[in-house]
Amino acid sequence: MGVEISDEARRLVALFEDEAGVTVRDCVVDEDHDQVVYLVKRGQIADAIGPGGNTVGRVEERLGREVKLIEDAELAEDFVANALAPAAVYNVTISENGDTVAYVEVPQDDHGAAIGREGRNIDAARRLASRHFDIDGIELT
């Protein structure tokens, strides 16, 4: 599945890749939550974060907005779990009854982390899961 990104997102990808030395697979500019979401190549998330979060901090300072990093995955279930980090995800089940929905088992006390402030985490997860795996929705259980 090919993903198209805007010119602004391309510029932001180049900035982050130069700063972190990692491969960015996708970038979403989330104006509603004033954040930039980067999908980082599997196995490179630690380098993307940097020691003590320094790399992310430098990029956030340059952009003047929050940065969220998501580690890419081959399987839709792993992708959704990664997208909802830092919440502890016990299980992800993909149901294809008409719409494709990811049902995510998260402990009750981690629902807030999965959803994020003003829904920013789950919104980013839904958007990227749709772009990369044709998932129509994500529901927490």
Side-chain angles (χ1 to χ4, degrees):
M1 165 190 285
V3 175
E4 292 184 26
I5 64 173
S6 68
D7 290 340
E8 179 187 13
R10 288 180 207 284
R11 182 184 63 78
L12 295 169
V13 166
L15 181 147
F16 195 85
E17 287 180 338
D18 288 346
E19 188 71 43
V22 299
T23 300
V24 174
R25 301 266 192 210
D26 195 4
C27 174
V28 173
V29 179
D30 182 353
E31 299 292 347
D32 292 339
H33 300 298
D34 196 31
Q35 72 176 349
V36 178
V37 182
Y38 291 102
L39 179 63
V40 178
K41 182 179 179 183
R42 190 173 39 149
Q44 295 185 344
I45 197 75
D47 292 334
I49 295 167
N54 288 338
T55 303
V56 171
R58 285 193 309 270
V59 173
E60 286 178 333
E61 194 171 296
R62 287 179 68 179
L63 298 178
R65 54 175 45 170
E66 285 189 33
V67 168
K68 176 170 176 62
L69 301 177
I70 298 174
E71 186 172 19
D72 200 3
E74 287 185 30
L75 300 175
E77 294 85 351
D78 295 335
F79 186 92
V80 170
N82 290 350
L84 293 174
V89 174
Y90 291 148
N91 187 45
V92 178
T93 303
I94 306 293
S95 173
E96 296 182 18
N97 295 328
D99 289 342
T100 302
V101 178
Y103 293 96
V104 184
E105 186 180 344
V106 176
Q108 189 63 41
D109 59 345
D110 258 4
H111 274 225
I115 294 167
R117 186 174 66 243
E118 299 173 355
R120 69 180 52 219
N121 290 350
I122 199 158
D123 286 351
R126 285 178 175 140
R127 192 165 176 184
L128 285 167
S130 173
R131 286 167 65 101
H132 292 271
F133 290 96
D134 289 327
I135 292 175
D136 300 308
I138 296 175
E139 301 293 329
L140 301 181
T141 63

